[in-house]
């Protein structure tokens, strides 16, 4: 899950730091059950400017694995199992409540966030995030571009509310009816989104980042991931109730297609509108 995993790790690390007073030295599990220092390419930008995270193991610190439990699986994953029909892998989830972690920004980052807010005239705004990664769950988080467009249109018609989409890449197609802003620094992007009135996204890293800022969200879970494995207090979660939910399938799934169809634009819009009026 990438950045979401990094943020959940930081939530656990902060808890250990508060309990022990020792800085946290992130480590990675080996296949034989031992651990090794985190290599540079695994060092997350989410760790930057966190005073209780250290790269120096010679200090009086506490080593904490970025993938806890049995060394292979993490907080929310019980097992990565094989599909009975041989189509691929699927996740067996376990119950877990993430500990919200608020990103620490430098003085320069705070200024960059403020500059984006001022330059783009962002006051009362809603962020909608149609972007998703296919590296883990294939197209199962694809709610549909036409539905994101329709939701954007409906929200743009609300008074005193600007619809914003933060583009992670300048090459991505603009979302109609929204103000599309390209920010190539994920930390600055999260900082800008943290100023939003509300955000809408499929379950993923953005949800975990905003959980730390206590920003309310409308989260699409569909039939894929477990709401009991990763949820935050201020979010409204849209879950397709079905015996196969959460399927956790890491291959294209008909159940997820049905779940995404079940999550209509009206259903999502009505929830967003209600939360904006709270």
């Amino acid at each position: 899950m990438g950045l979401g995993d990094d943020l959940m790790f930081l939530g656990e690390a902060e808890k250990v730091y508060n309990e022990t007073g020792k800085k946290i030295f992130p480590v990675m599990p080996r296949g034989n059950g031992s651990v090794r220092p985190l290599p540079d390419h695994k060092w997350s930008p989410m760790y930057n400017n966190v005073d209780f995270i250290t790269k120096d193991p010679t200090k009086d610190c506490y080593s904490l694995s970025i993938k806890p439990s049995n060394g292979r699986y993490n907080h929310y994953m019980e097992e990565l199992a094989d599909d009975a029909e041989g189509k691929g892998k699927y996740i067996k989830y376990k119950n877990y409540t993430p500990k919200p972690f608020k990103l620490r920004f430098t003085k320069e980052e705070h200024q960059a966030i403020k500059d984006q807010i001022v330059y783009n005239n962002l006051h009362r705004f809603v962020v909608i995030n149609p972007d998703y990664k296919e590296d883990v769950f294939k197209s199962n988080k694809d709610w549909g571009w036409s539905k994101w467009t329709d939701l954007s249109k409906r929200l743009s018609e609300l008074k005193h509310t600007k619809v914003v989409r933060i583009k992670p890449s300048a090459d991505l197609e603009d979302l109609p009816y929204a103000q599309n802003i390209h920010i190539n620094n994920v930390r600055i992007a999260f900082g800008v989104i943290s100023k939003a009135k509300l955000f809408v996204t499929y379950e993923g890293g953005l949800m975990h980042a905003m959980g730390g800022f206590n920003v309310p969200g409308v989260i699409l879970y569909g039939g894929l991931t477990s709401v009991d494995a990763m949820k935050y207090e201020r979010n409204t979660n849209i879950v397709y109730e079905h015996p196969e939910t959460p399927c956790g399938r890491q291959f294209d799934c008909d159940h997820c297609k049905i779940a995404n169809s079940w999550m209509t634009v009206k259903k999502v819009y009505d929830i967003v509108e209600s939360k904006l009026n709270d």
Side-chain angles (χ1 to χ4, degrees), residues 206-233:
L206 177 59
M207 174 187 77
H208 295 282
M210 292 308 105
F213 291 107
N214 206 29
V215 180
V218 176
I219 313 299
L220 281 61
Y221 279 83
L224 181 61
T225 50
S226 172
V227 72
D228 293 321
M230 48 184 86
K231 64 181 175 182
Y232 293 87
E233 184 177 350

Side-chain angles (χ1 to χ4, degrees), residues 89-145:
K89 300 282 188 179
Y90 71 97
I91 294 173
K92 288 185 178 180
Y93 292 97
K94 58 187 176 186
N95 290 351
Y96 172 71
T97 301
K99 297 165 182 62
F101 176 80
K102 185 176 181 179
L103 288 172
R104 274 69 160 168
F105 297 117
T106 64
K107 181 180 179 180
E108 292 76 17
E109 287 174 328
H110 276 297
Q111 185 60 53
I113 292 164
K114 181 179 179 180
D115 290 346
Q116 287 283 350
I117 295 292
V118 172
Y119 178 78
N120 291 290
N121 192 27
L122 302 180
H123 298 293
R124 179 185 167 94
F125 67 102
V126 174
V127 169
I128 57 177
N129 175 39
D131 304 298
Y132 66 97
K133 297 187 300 182
E134 294 187 345
D135 57 339
V136 176
F137 293 113
K138 303 303 180 185
S139 64
N140 294 335
K141 289 187 178 183
D142 183 8
W143 189 44
W145 186 256

Side-chain angles (χ1 to χ4, degrees), residues 65-98:
S65 175
I66 63 170
K67 291 186 180 294
S69 187
N70 63 4
R72 183 179 177 189
Y73 306 113
N74 51 29
H75 299 290
Y76 58 87
M77 185 190 303
E78 187 69 44
E79 182 184 358
L80 188 60
D82 292 308
D83 174 64
E85 298 180 4
K87 294 181 179 179
K89 300 282 188 179
Y90 71 97
I91 294 173
K92 288 185 178 180
Y93 292 97
K94 58 187 176 186
N95 290 351
Y96 172 71
T97 301

Side-chain angles (χ1 to χ4, degrees), residues 23 60 74 91 98 102 113 162 194 197 204-205 231 237 277:
K23 291 192 175 186
D60 183 22
N74 51 29
I91 294 173
K102 185 176 181 179
I113 292 164
K162 178 178 287 190
S194 74
K197 177 75 173 176
K231 64 181 175 182
N237 306 307
N277 290 329

Side-chain angles (χ1 to χ4, degrees), residues 42-78:
K42 287 290 186 180
W43 195 266
S44 171
M46 301 297 100
Y47 303 164
N48 294 351
N49 204 42
V50 179
D51 58 358
F52 60 80
I53 294 290
T54 181
K55 285 187 174 183
D56 185 359
T58 65
K59 300 286 187 181
D60 183 22
C61 59
Y62 187 100
S63 295
L64 190 65
S65 175
I66 63 170
K67 291 186 180 294
S69 187
N70 63 4
R72 183 179 177 189
Y73 306 113
N74 51 29
H75 299 290
Y76 58 87
M77 185 190 303
E78 187 69 44

Side-chain angles (χ1 to χ4, degrees), residues 130-184:
D131 304 298
Y132 66 97
K133 297 187 300 182
E134 294 187 345
D135 57 339
V136 176
F137 293 113
K138 303 303 180 185
S139 64
N140 294 335
K141 289 187 178 183
D142 183 8
W143 189 44
W145 186 256
S146 63
K147 288 198 284 188
W148 284 114
T149 299
D150 191 2
L151 178 64
S152 178
K153 181 177 185 297
R154 296 189 192 199
L155 292 175
S156 71
E157 293 168 354
L158 294 174
K159 292 183 179 179
H160 311 301
T161 300
K162 178 178 287 190
V163 180
V164 173
R165 182 270 192 103
I166 305 296
K167 294 172 61 172
S169 169
D171 296 332
L172 292 173
E173 178 182 355
D174 280 353
L175 181 67
Y177 308 102
Q179 181 176 350
N180 290 263
I181 303 170
H182 169 51
I183 303 176
N184 59 9

Side-chain angles (χ1 to χ4, degrees), residues 235-276:
N235 291 344
T236 300
N237 306 307
I238 306 177
V239 182
Y240 177 53
E241 298 293 343
H242 186 275
E244 293 183 34
T245 301
C247 71
R249 289 173 180 144
Q250 297 186 340
F251 52 90
D252 288 330
C253 167
D254 290 338
H255 161 69
C256 289
K257 290 178 182 177
I258 295 170
N260 284 325
S261 295
W262 171 83
M263 293 188 295
T264 62
V265 175
K266 183 179 186 307
K267 186 185 299 291
V268 177
Y269 172 81
D270 287 347
I271 292 172
V272 174
E273 184 185 32
S274 174
K275 293 199 73 168
L276 286 174

